[in-house]
Amino acid sequence: MRRQNFSIITELVLVGFSDHPQTEIPLFLFFSLVYLANCLGNTAVITLVALGSSLQTPMYFFLCHLAFLNGFFSTVVTPKMLFNFLTSRKVISYPFCLAQTYLTLFLESTECFLLAVMAIDRYVAICYPLRYLLIMSWAVCVALAVAVWVIGFCASVVPLYIKILPLCGPYIVDYLFCELPILLHLFCSDTSLLETMMAIGGAGTVLFPFLLIVLSYLRILVAVIRIDSAEGRKKAFSTCASHLVVVTIYYGTGLIRYLRPKSLYSAEGDKLISVFYAVIGPALNPFIYGLRNKEVQNAMRRVIEKYKNAQESRSRILGS
């Protein structure tokens, strides 16, 4: 029966903002620009860290992973959403819907662990500055990065794959993309076990990293208070400010979505929240965390100057 149910389903309807057709073209233009900024910003961060010798540090190594994750997450969601803004037949194939569900869950879980690792990196940098590069060696950084991606996958995709349930019609998704909390309403069988697994998985992939972040910043706060000079405190805080902003946006959006009272729930409000964390947030992160940073800006200037010098040298060689 399970295989038969899966084979019958070919596509689902994505409602999106079709209740407000007059907004679809403006939204298409706006989200196209946001997605372009996302791709360019995150690609720029990865390129600058790869080419800039001054950015070959653990902090920027993890920032590269965050930039890749943000670009990947938005690419899983945004192109299909943009296409549905322009077409009257707003559907998504069932295999692609499942792929979106697996990938969004995987990337959300991975981002939680990645933000926790970045907080631990800042804790080591501020609390143990003389031993920072010894503690956060490249072997440790690579091991942490691999662990983040593997744990994110094992804690999200594997349990869902084992317990995925058949869907019942009508196959209408009142959302912008396929995500597990939305698909729960379409499952035929009893979802209590899956919901229990989601709660346990959520505690492991959301609350545990959040506790690590809170503990890291409590230790950082104590260390900053002990710094004698105001300039030293300001410098220590500035190294954490961008990460704090990113964490606040990410977890703040999640808290608003999952913990708000049922009386404040609305389908349209849920869609706006999902747009913020799936499209707008990933586009903001490279500017919050990377491109406003003086070290990144200096690296960008050096890369541009190096490119210009290479072009001038090539022109002189060709001219001679």
Side-chain angles (χ1 to χ4, degrees):
M1 282 296 294
R2 182 174 169 179
R3 289 183 180 177
Q4 289 175 357
N5 275 315
F6 277 16
S7 62
I8 291 170
I9 305 169
T10 58
E11 58 187 26
L12 298 90
V13 176
L14 277 177
V15 175
F17 290 111
S18 57
D19 293 338
H20 309 282
Q22 71 280 3
T23 65
E24 291 190 313
I25 297 301
L27 287 174
F28 170 80
L29 296 173
F30 174 70
F31 289 129
S32 295
L33 292 175
V34 172
Y35 180 59
L36 180 62
N38 181 329
C39 294
L40 293 177
N42 285 299
T43 302
V45 169
I46 295 171
T47 303
L48 287 172
V49 173
L51 297 179
S53 57
S54 61
L55 302 181
Q56 302 297 314
T57 64
M59 182 178 77
Y60 292 107
F61 172 77
F62 293 121
L63 180 58
C64 271
H65 284 265
L66 181 64
F68 174 77
L69 189 151
N70 288 157
F72 188 15
F73 189 100
S74 193
T75 299
V76 169
V77 170
T78 309
K80 182 60 180 176
M81 184 180 73
L82 292 176
F83 178 78
N84 279 358
F85 280 140
L86 300 179
T87 182
S88 58
R89 191 168 180 271
K90 304 179 188 302
V91 297
I92 183 171
S93 70
Y94 182 60
F96 187 46
C97 180
L98 276 184
Q100 274 194 342
T101 303
Y102 284 124
L103 287 171
T104 53
L105 190 63
F106 165 48
L107 295 171
E108 287 170 355
S109 301
T110 302
E111 184 162 359
C112 290
F113 285 108
L114 182 58
L115 291 174
V117 167
M118 294 173 81
I120 293 170
D121 171 69
R122 293 298 81 207
Y123 157 68
V124 176
I126 292 172
C127 297
Y128 303 98
L130 299 179
R131 298 169 54 196
Y132 172 59
L133 293 178
L134 181 64
I135 296 172
M136 299 298 293
S137 64
W138 283 113
V140 171
C141 290
V142 171
L144 287 172
V146 171
V148 160
W149 288 96
V150 171
I151 293 173
F153 180 84
C154 293
S156 57
V157 174
V158 173
L160 177 59
Y161 181 78
I162 294 171
K163 195 54 187 172
I164 192 71
L165 300 171
L167 302 186
C168 291
Y171 306 121
I172 299 174
V173 181
D174 189 10
Y175 209 57
L176 295 165
F177 54 92
C178 291
E179 201 172 23
L180 183 56
I182 305 302
L183 288 188
L184 276 175
H185 301 293
L186 302 180
F187 288 146
C188 299
S189 307
D190 180 24
T191 61
S192 57
L193 178 58
L194 186 57
E195 289 178 25
T196 302
M197 291 172 66
M198 282 180 59
I200 295 172
T205 60
V206 178
L207 292 181
F208 177 67
F210 183 70
L211 287 175
L212 288 178
I213 293 170
V214 171
L215 290 174
S216 297
Y217 275 104
L218 286 175
R219 294 295 300 272
I220 288 171
L221 181 61
V222 171
V224 170
I225 291 173
R226 291 176 178 172
I227 297 175
D228 295 331
S229 67
E231 185 65 26
R233 286 193 294 270
K234 182 180 178 181
K235 185 177 179 180
F237 178 75
S238 67
T239 65
C240 303
S242 297
H243 181 260
L244 274 174
V245 171
V246 171
V247 169
T248 302
I249 291 174
Y250 185 77
Y251 276 96
T253 307
L255 290 173
I256 292 171
R257 184 183 179 202
Y258 291 108
L259 299 183
R260 70 187 187 279
K262 288 186 177 180
S263 59
L264 298 179
Y265 173 81
S266 71
E268 297 302 311
D270 227 30
K271 293 173 191 176
L272 292 174
I273 293 171
S274 70
V275 162
F276 188 84
Y277 79 77
V279 183
I280 298 175
L284 291 176
N285 285 353
F287 298 95
I288 294 171
Y289 213 116
L291 300 179
R292 289 177 61 254
N293 187 296
K294 288 184 179 179
E295 290 181 344
V296 175
Q297 291 174 355
N298 291 335
M300 187 184 300
R301 292 191 194 98
R302 285 193 288 270
V303 169
I304 292 172
E305 288 174 4
K306 189 182 295 185
Y307 176 77
K308 286 181 178 179
N309 293 335
Q311 289 294 101
E312 290 173 1
S313 299
R314 187 178 301 171
S315 299
R316 284 196 295 269
I317 291 171
L318 293 174
S320 61

